[in-house]
Amino acid sequence: MAEESESTLPLVELFIKASSIDKERKGSCPMCHQWFMAFFILSEQGYCDLLVTTIVSENPPKYFLELGTSRRLPDVRVVRGQLNGVDITDLICDTNDEIEEFMRKFGCEDLLTWKESKSEQAVEDVFADLYRDFNGLLQTGNTGSVNKVLVNLDRFLQQKGTKFLLKDTFTYADCQLLPKLQHLRVAAKFYRDYEISPSLTHVWKYLQNCYQTEVFQKSVPCDQDIIKHYEMKVPGVKPTGSRNPNLMKETVTLDIPEEVASSFAGASAN
C-alpha cells in the first residue's frame, strides 16, 4: 500500500491520444491503453491520484505544448505531490522507458517489471511476438504465427491457474497484453474475419475475467476507434464489416462467444 498522506499524494496527469473519430473520447493507441491501466491500478491502490487527458495530436492545446514534451504520446506529468518524501511536482516523463521507471518508483507489488520479477519476464516472453504477428495477419491473412502465440498463451494460463496472467489481481504483464488481445479480437475480425479459436478456453476465460474488471472497462477504447487505427495499414483488404468506421455505431466488445460461455457454465455446474 502507498505510504504518502493525502496531502502529499502525487496527482499524475496521463496524456493519451484522443480518438480520431470523436476528439472528446480516448483513442485506440495500444501504448496509451497500457499506461491508462497501469496508472489506474496505482490510483486504485492509493499510490496516486490520476487525471487522464486526451490530446488531439494534430492540434494539441497550448498548455500541453508549453510542457516541452516530445509530443509522442503517451506522456506523464506530475501536477503536484511527493513520492518517497521527495517533491516531484512538474516531473515530466515523455518516453516509455521514463514512464516505466517512474512507475517502478511507487514500489507497487502488482506492477513489477521484468527487471524486478523473473515471472514477469517469463510471461512477457510468451506473448512478445503477438502484436507483430497480428499486424502480419492483417497484411497477409496468414494466421499461423498468431495461432502459435495464442496456443502458447493458452497453455501458460492453464498451467498458472490464476484469474489473470500471474496472480488473481492485475499485473504489469496484463497491462501489456490486453491492448494487443483486444486489437486482435476487434480488428482482425473486421478486416480478416479472424476469430480466436473456441478451443483456447483458457484464453477466453482470461478475457472474460478481464472484461469484468473496472480497470479494463474504464480504459478500453471503442471498437470503431480500434478498427480505424488499422484502416491505412491494410491497403486493398476488403473488410468483412461496415466500410466506414466513422459512421459505425459506438460499441465496445466486452463479451465472449456464447458457445465458450456455455462451456464455462457447464463446467461450473459439474
Side-chain angles (χ1 to χ4, degrees):
M1 293 296 294
E3 296 181 356
E4 305 290 346
S5 69
E6 283 190 20
S7 60
T8 62
L9 200 65
L11 171 58
V12 175
E13 185 170 17
L14 173 65
F15 298 99
I16 63 173
K17 291 182 181 179
S19 162
S20 59
I21 299 174
D22 180 346
K23 308 302 183 184
E24 297 298 317
R25 70 185 182 216
K26 56 186 174 290
S28 58
C29 169
M31 192 64 69
C32 292
H33 188 188
Q34 169 185 317
W35 287 116
F36 193 153
M37 286 191 288
F39 282 100
F40 188 97
I41 291 168
L42 287 174
S43 176
E44 194 174 45
Q45 295 190 15
Y47 287 91
C48 69
D49 292 326
L50 177 62
L51 171 64
V52 178
T53 302
T54 56
I55 298 291
V56 179
S57 300
E58 301 78 15
N59 187 29
K62 181 179 179 181
Y63 83 93
F64 177 71
L65 294 175
E66 290 174 346
L67 295 177
T69 71
S70 67
R71 295 176 58 182
R72 295 185 63 181
L73 299 166
D75 287 339
V76 163
R77 170 200 176 210
V78 179
V79 179
R80 47 94 175 137
Q82 297 182 8
L83 181 59
N84 302 323
V86 178
D87 187 355
I88 55 171
T89 301
D90 292 330
L91 174 70
I92 300 288
C93 303
D94 64 354
T95 69
N96 191 64
D97 288 344
E98 289 177 357
I99 297 173
E100 189 173 273
E101 183 60 28
F102 177 53
M103 177 190 73
R104 290 178 61 203
K105 290 179 180 179
F106 285 94
C108 177
E109 287 295 318
D110 286 337
L111 293 173
L112 299 178
T113 71
W114 64 270
K115 296 177 182 178
E116 304 140 321
S117 168
K118 291 183 178 179
S119 296
E120 177 75 25
Q121 184 175 14
V123 70
E124 287 183 20
D125 288 343
V126 173
F127 61 82
D129 296 332
L130 180 61
Y131 195 65
R132 180 200 67 188
D133 294 339
F134 155 60
N135 277 278
L137 185 160
L138 289 181
Q139 294 166 12
T140 68
N142 187 332
T143 64
S145 296
V146 164
N147 287 339
K148 182 178 180 181
V149 175
L150 292 176
V151 166
N152 289 337
L153 177 61
D154 192 77
R155 187 179 299 119
F156 177 90
L157 289 165
Q158 180 182 21
Q159 294 172 348
K160 196 66 182 176
T162 49
K163 287 181 66 176
F164 306 112
L165 284 174
L166 293 176
K167 53 174 88 171
D168 290 333
T169 53
F170 260 43
T171 62
Y172 186 41
D174 298 295
C175 296
Q176 295 178 79
L177 172 61
L178 277 169
K180 300 175 176 68
L181 270 183
Q182 189 70 0
H183 280 230
L184 171 65
R185 276 206 74 188
V186 174
K189 172 62 178 175
F190 184 84
Y191 289 108
R192 290 292 186 178
D193 200 24
Y194 173 85
E195 295 184 5
I196 299 172
S197 171
S199 67
L200 300 177
T201 55
H202 301 284
V203 172
W204 281 114
K205 185 62 177 178
Y206 170 74
L207 281 171
Q208 184 182 58
N209 290 337
C210 294
Y211 288 164
Q212 293 171 353
T213 63
E214 185 179 13
V215 59
F216 189 79
Q217 292 174 9
K218 293 282 190 181
S219 61
V220 64
C222 72
D223 297 344
Q224 293 67 39
D225 284 308
I226 293 175
I227 291 168
K228 179 76 172 178
H229 188 85
Y230 298 97
E231 190 175 41
M232 304 305 294
K233 301 179 183 182
V234 285
V237 176
K238 184 178 180 181
T240 58
S242 170
R243 298 295 187 271
N244 189 348
N246 294 302
L247 303 178
M248 295 167 64
K249 181 180 178 181
E250 182 179 343
T251 59
V252 178
T253 296
L254 292 172
D255 58 359
I256 62 174
E258 285 189 18
E259 62 179 300
V260 179
S262 298
S263 70
F264 293 158
S268 298
N270 294 330

